Amino acid sequence: MCVVGAAESRRLNSRFRGRDRPTNVLSFASSQAPHPDRRALGELVICARVLLEEARAQDKALRAHWAHLVVHGTLHLVGYDHAREKDARRMERREIAVLKRLGFANPYRSP
């Protein structure tokens, strides 16, 4: 996992997703990772500033939001996606289940 500032997040998001803004988490499979390690599933790149701003705006505990984004990004590395509504529901159910096992509340419910 790599923690980056907003400028680096924006650069990577623009380059790999065509979105010219920083984002909370990016997931790169090992073959696409900026710093590839063939022993790992891939690399998560988290923008701490975006994550903090989201947690504040959504009135979520910072620790819980970090956990959610690590789980979310990791699920992308093992093949989950949320491009289609059906896939998004499936991914959200998995996120909720994993976070519950880790002791965190459902991130999709209001606090």
Side-chain angles (χ1 to χ4, degrees):
M1 179 170 59
C2 182
V3 179
V4 298
E8 179 66 0
S9 176
R10 179 181 180 177
R11 185 185 73 75
L12 291 169
N13 200 25
S14 179
R15 178 177 174 199
F16 291 99
R17 296 181 65 225
R19 298 181 180 171
D20 190 27
R21 64 180 183 272
T23 190
N24 51 19
V25 62
L26 293 166
S27 300
F28 296 96
S30 284
S31 61
Q32 299 171 324
H35 308 97
D37 178 349
R38 300 292 179 225
R39 297 169 292 165
L41 286 173
E43 184 173 7
L44 299 182
V45 178
I46 294 180
C47 180
R49 190 182 98 199
V50 171
L51 192 143
L52 177 61
E53 290 170 357
E54 288 176 347
R56 285 180 179 158
Q58 298 168 21
D59 196 27
K60 292 180 178 178
L62 185 57
R63 185 171 183 259
H65 199 44
W66 270 95
H68 180 209
L69 292 182
V70 169
V71 168
H72 180 89
T74 301
L75 288 176
H76 277 303
L77 293 177
V78 296
Y80 284 79
D81 197 359
H82 47 79
R84 296 180 308 178
E85 184 63 32
K86 177 181 166 187
D87 296 331
R89 286 192 309 272
R90 178 176 173 254
M91 187 170 182
E92 286 178 12
R93 283 192 305 270
R94 178 60 62 184
E95 289 170 351
I96 292 164
V98 170
L99 288 164
K100 182 177 181 180
R101 290 188 69 190
L102 295 172
F104 294 98
N106 180 342
Y108 297 102
R109 287 206 177 115
S110 298

